[in-house]
Amino acid sequence: MPAGTLYRGREGMWSWVAHRVTGVLIFFFLFVHVLDTALVRVSPEDYDRVVATYKTPLVACLEYGLVAAILFHALNGLRVIAVDFWSKGPRYQKQMLWTVVGLWVVLMIGAIYPVLGHAARELFGS
């Protein structure tokens, strides 16, 4: 496959950027998660306070963003694998990208209630 085939065109460039940004965001989350989990051994009271902050509507929105990042990164990663290992992958990369985006949107719509339902009930009542 010629150099630059995977990310040819405007869509390819943005998928490359989005894949890197979501990867960094996921790494940052994992780093923070390891730190806050380790806090339970140092100070269980501080750990309880940190966990209590995670039940706020703001953090629920951040969790929805995390779901969005993980889902896009995973789906786009499968597309990259298909482009790299399927002989016809480079030919269909644009169609596969739009399929990934469409599937991502549908799944993110489906994730609204499970992820943000608690926050909505807290803000607006049951």
Side-chain angles (χ1 to χ4, degrees), residues 99-115:
T99 301
V100 162
V101 170
L103 186 57
W104 178 81
V105 167
V106 167
L107 292 172
M108 287 307 298
I109 290 169
I112 289 173
Y113 182 75
V115 178

Side-chain angles (χ1 to χ4, degrees), residues 61-83:
C61 291
L62 294 173
E63 286 176 345
Y64 189 71
L66 177 63
V67 170
I70 291 170
L71 192 56
F72 178 81
H73 194 80
L75 293 171
N76 193 54
L78 293 173
R79 182 189 71 86
V80 169
I81 290 169
V83 169

Side-chain angles (χ1 to χ4, degrees), residues 30-76:
L30 290 173
F31 180 73
V32 170
H33 181 61
V34 167
L35 288 179
D36 72 7
T37 303
L39 189 60
V40 76
R41 306 247 334 162
V42 177
S43 173
E45 298 82 23
D46 288 337
Y47 173 79
D48 289 340
R49 277 193 292 269
V50 168
V51 169
T53 65
Y54 292 163
K55 296 176 183 175
T56 64
L58 174 64
V59 174
C61 291
L62 294 173
E63 286 176 345
Y64 189 71
L66 177 63
V67 170
I70 291 170
L71 192 56
F72 178 81
H73 194 80
L75 293 171
N76 193 54

Side-chain angles (χ1 to χ4, degrees), residues 14-31 65-77:
W14 284 113
S15 71
W16 183 88
V17 169
H19 198 73
R20 271 48 181 189
V21 168
T22 56
V24 169
L25 291 173
I26 294 164
F27 174 80
F28 177 71
F29 162 76
L30 290 173
F31 180 73
L66 177 63
V67 170
I70 291 170
L71 192 56
F72 178 81
H73 194 80
L75 293 171
N76 193 54

